[in-house]
Amino acid sequence: MRAAGRRAPALLVLVSAALIAADTVTPLEPLRAFGSAVYGGLEDAASAGVRWVSGERRLEELERENARLRADLLAARGPTPSPARADGYRVVPAHVVGFGRDGTVTVDTGSDGGVDRDMTVFDGNGLVGRILRSGPGTATVQLATASGASIGARLEGSREVGLVTGVPERGLMRLSLLDPAAEVKPGDRVVTLGSRNMRPYVPDVPIGTVVALEPAPDALTRTALVRPFARFTALDLVTVVLGPLPDGAAVDASAGEGAAGAGDEDEDAGKSGSKKAKGA
C-alpha cells in the first residue's frame, strides 16, 4: 500500500513531463486550430440551417397573413351585397413560378392546397385571372389579358354592367357595356361583376382603369379600352380565392381546409346579358 502511494506522485510527474515535451517537440496548436475549424464550421452550418428554416416558416406565415388581409379588404369593399361579403373568403397564397406564351402563368400551389379550376386569382394591385387547370402541386392561371379571357364587369362608380375581354397584343382589355348610352370616360375604374357561386370570379375585384373610348361599330354596345391594375410581366405573390368563409373565421387553406364546393362553369352574367342586348 505504501509502495503504491509513493508510485502515484512519481507517475503524475512523469505524465506531466511527457505532455510538456510533446507540446515542445510537436506543438498542439495546429490540432486545436484544426478542431476549431471543423467543429466551428459545422456549428455555423447548423446554426444557419436553423435560421433558414425559421426564416422560411416566418415568411410563409407572413404570406398567409398577407393573403388573408387581401381577402378581408376585398370582401369589405363594394356597395352591393354578396354571399361572402359578411364573412370573407377562404384563400391561399401562391407564387408565380412560370410564364407561358399563351396568356397563362404557373403558380406553385395546386389541388393539394385546395386550388381547383375556375377560382379567382388576384394580387395587391388587382385581378390577375382565373385558375385554368390544377395539378397536385401547381396550377395554371389564365391571365385577364389573354385572348380567350371573358370577364363579367361593371363600372365601379355608376355600376353599369358589361363584359371585359383580353387584348393581349396591346397588354390591355376591352370593356363592352351592356347599355350603349352608358356614360364612360377615361379614368373610370372597372371591377368584376361576380359569377354564380363566385366562380370563376368573385365580385368587386379591381380590374383596371378606362384609358380610351372606341368608336362604336353599332348602336348596341359601347366599348372602351382598359389598362389593367395588375402588372402581368412582374407577377410574384398572388392570392387564390377558394370560396366563401361561412363562419367568419379567417381560415387559411394551408391549415388543412379543403377546396371550395364545386363551382358553376358558366361564364359571368354580364356575358349572357351582353348577348341578349346584341340580339335585341
Side-chain angles (χ1 to χ4, degrees):
M1 291 290 294
R2 292 179 181 178
R6 287 194 297 270
R7 285 197 297 271
L11 182 60
L12 290 175
V13 170
L14 290 174
V15 170
S16 300
L19 288 174
I20 293 172
D23 193 24
T24 302
V25 177
T26 306
L28 298 178
E29 188 60 31
L31 294 176
R32 296 192 189 100
F34 175 77
S36 176
V38 172
Y39 292 106
L42 291 175
E43 183 180 24
D44 290 343
S47 177
V50 170
R51 290 196 301 271
W52 180 79
V53 171
S54 300
E56 284 293 305
R57 289 177 180 173
R58 179 56 178 162
L59 180 60
E60 290 178 359
E61 291 174 359
L62 291 174
E63 289 176 348
R64 288 196 297 270
E65 180 66 11
N66 188 349
R68 186 186 66 79
L69 290 175
R70 286 179 182 175
D72 288 346
L73 289 173
L74 179 62
R77 73 189 309 273
T80 57
S82 80
R85 184 64 27 82
D87 299 314
Y89 301 103
R90 291 186 302 122
V91 297
V92 64
H95 289 91
V96 174
V97 294
F99 290 78
R101 296 182 179 179
D102 54 348
T104 63
V105 296
T106 302
V107 296
D108 63 354
T109 304
S111 57
D112 288 347
V115 175
D116 199 2
R117 68 189 303 266
D118 286 336
M119 288 181 171
T120 306
V121 182
F122 67 98
D123 66 3
N125 297 313
L127 180 70
V128 172
R130 68 181 180 93
I131 299 295
L132 193 61
R133 50 184 173 271
S134 178
T138 62
T140 300
V141 180
Q142 181 188 54
L143 300 180
T145 51
S147 59
S150 179
I151 306 165
R154 65 167 75 242
L155 295 175
E156 187 176 50
S158 65
R159 310 303 286 176
E160 289 286 347
V161 174
L163 185 69
V164 165
T165 53
V167 188
E169 64 275 9
R170 303 177 64 176
L172 300 174
M173 292 174 280
R174 178 171 286 109
L175 170 65
S176 300
L177 290 171
L178 184 63
D179 182 359
E183 293 186 4
V184 57
K185 61 185 182 301
D188 286 349
R189 288 168 55 95
V190 182
V191 298
T192 56
L193 174 65
S195 308
R196 186 186 306 174
N197 296 330
M198 296 190 298
R199 291 173 66 171
Y201 299 105
V202 298
D204 291 307
V205 182
I207 295 176
T209 304
V210 173
V211 293
L213 302 182
E214 292 186 314
D218 53 52
L220 296 178
T221 59
R222 186 161 194 188
T223 62
L225 292 177
V226 176
R227 186 178 305 282
F229 289 127
R231 297 173 57 204
F232 292 103
T233 58
L235 295 173
D236 184 13
L237 180 64
V238 299
T239 298
V240 182
V241 180
L242 304 183
L245 190 62
D247 58 2
V251 179
D252 187 89
S254 59
E257 288 293 316
D264 195 297
E265 298 179 5
D266 292 338
E267 284 299 330
D268 306 277
K271 185 173 181 179
S272 59
S274 180
K275 288 183 177 179
K276 291 179 181 178
K278 290 181 179 180

